[in-house]
Amino acid sequence: QITLKESGPTLVKPTQTLTLTCTFSGFSLTTSGVGVGWIRQPPGKALEWLALIYWDDDHRYNPSLKNRLTITKDTSKSQVVLTMTSVSPLDTATYYCARRSISLVHDYWGQGTLVTVSS
Amino acid sequence: QSALTQPASVSGSPGQSITISCTGTNSDVGGYNYVSWYQQYPGEAPKLIIYDVIYRPSGVSSRFSGSKSGNTASLTISGLQAEDEADYYCSSYRSTLYVFGTGTKVTVL
C-alpha cells in the first residue's frame, strides 16, 4: 500500500522560510524512474506544480518559483523535503506531495497540509 | 509557467455525457502522450482517474474516458451521476516539468 503524508508548520510569517516534509511508504525512491513531487493549491484556486525530485537525485522546479525552492530527499528515512524561502501571503495554500511513477504520472497523493502565511 | 486552459464549469443532467477540454501547446499536451486527469472533492486530495491520455487506473469507473487531438485533451464522463459532481484538473508533462489545468467544476443538475 502506497501512502504519502505531508508535515510542517500551519502558520508562517511573511519573509520566513517554509520547510515541508513528505514521508512516504510502500515504494522506494531508489527505483529507476520514480520521483516525488510537490503541488500546491491556494484556497479556492487551481493546482500548481512546484517541484520534483527523481530517484537519481535529479530535480526540477517550476520556473516561476525556481529561485525560492529547494527539494531534497533522504532515502533512508523515506522522506522528501521542500524548502521555500521568502514566503508571502500569496504562498498560503494546501501543499501536497505525490509520487511520480515510472509512467510519468503523479499517481498517489498525500492528504495535503494547509499552510497560512500571515503576520 | 502558464497553466493549461479548461472551462470553468460544465454541467449536465444525470445519465447524460459531458466533455471537459484541456488546451495546451505543442510543448505539453500536443507534444507528449502524458496527459492525466484528476478528480477532486472539496477538502480532499486529487485522485487520478486518467493517465497517459487514455488509461484508467484500476478501480476507476469505465464511465470516465480520455482522448486527445492536437493540443487539446478531453475527459468525457458518460452516464453522469450525482457522485461525479466535483472539480476536475488536467495535467501534462512539459519537457521535464509538469503543468496543471485551470480546473473545471462539474455540476450535476
Side-chain angles (χ1 to χ4, degrees):
Chain A
Q1 180 187 6
I2 293 174
T3 64
L4 303 96
K5 187 172 184 179
E6 307 85 354
S7 59
T10 57
L11 180 64
V12 183
K13 296 185 187 306
T15 76
Q16 289 187 337
T17 294
L18 169 65
T19 299
L20 295 169
T21 300
C22 176
T23 303
F24 57 88
S25 64
F27 68 96
S28 173
L29 201 38
T30 61
T31 302
S32 179
V34 173
V36 171
W38 285 92
I39 302 100
R40 72 178 179 179
Q41 184 174 37
K45 297 189 176 181
L47 300 169
E48 179 182 28
W49 183 81
L50 299 178
L52 173 64
I53 191 163
Y54 292 98
W55 79 102
D56 60 357
D57 230 13
D58 191 13
H59 48 269
R60 294 288 184 268
Y61 298 108
N62 183 323
S64 301
L65 296 160
K66 182 176 181 179
N67 293 336
R68 299 174 51 211
L69 298 177
T70 303
I71 189 169
T72 61
K73 65 181 175 68
D74 185 332
T75 303
S76 65
K77 293 182 179 180
S78 294
Q79 291 182 332
V80 170
V81 175
L82 180 73
T83 300
M84 177 183 290
T85 60
S86 305
V87 299
S88 78
L90 292 175
D91 297 311
T92 293
T94 296
Y95 287 76
Y96 298 98
C97 63
R99 185 184 80 154
R100 205 292 305 255
S101 74
I102 58 176
S103 298
L104 306 191
V105 63
H106 294 85
D107 54 359
Y108 291 89
W109 293 55
Q111 64 189 23
T113 185
L114 175 61
V115 178
T116 301
V117 180
S118 174
S119 55
Chain B
Q1 58 178 357
S2 55
L4 306 174
T5 301
Q6 299 179 230
S9 63
V10 174
S11 62
S13 299
Q16 286 186 330
S17 293
I18 62 170
T19 297
I20 303 168
S21 61
C22 170
T23 302
T25 69
N26 53 19
S27 295
D28 38 63
V29 174
Y32 305 93
N33 286 324
Y34 295 127
V35 176
S36 52
W37 289 89
Y38 299 88
Q39 177 190 59
Q40 185 181 35
Y41 293 113
E44 297 187 8
K47 172 190 173 185
L48 178 68
I49 57 174
I50 294 288
Y51 68 98
D52 293 358
V53 179
I54 61 172
Y55 297 102
R56 284 188 310 276
S58 175
V60 173
S61 173
S62 58
R63 297 185 300 102
F64 294 96
S65 62
S67 63
K68 190 183 83 167
S69 177
N71 295 337
T72 298
S74 298
L75 172 72
T76 297
I77 309 176
S78 304
L80 197 63
Q81 299 180 0
E83 66 198 49
D84 300 329
E85 187 161 293
D87 293 327
Y88 293 82
Y89 293 92
C90 61
S91 178
S92 176
Y93 186 73
R94 179 187 276 177
S95 185
T96 78
L97 308 176
Y98 286 85
V99 61
F100 283 89
T102 51
T104 298
K105 180 175 182 57
V106 169
T107 301
V108 181
L109 302 173

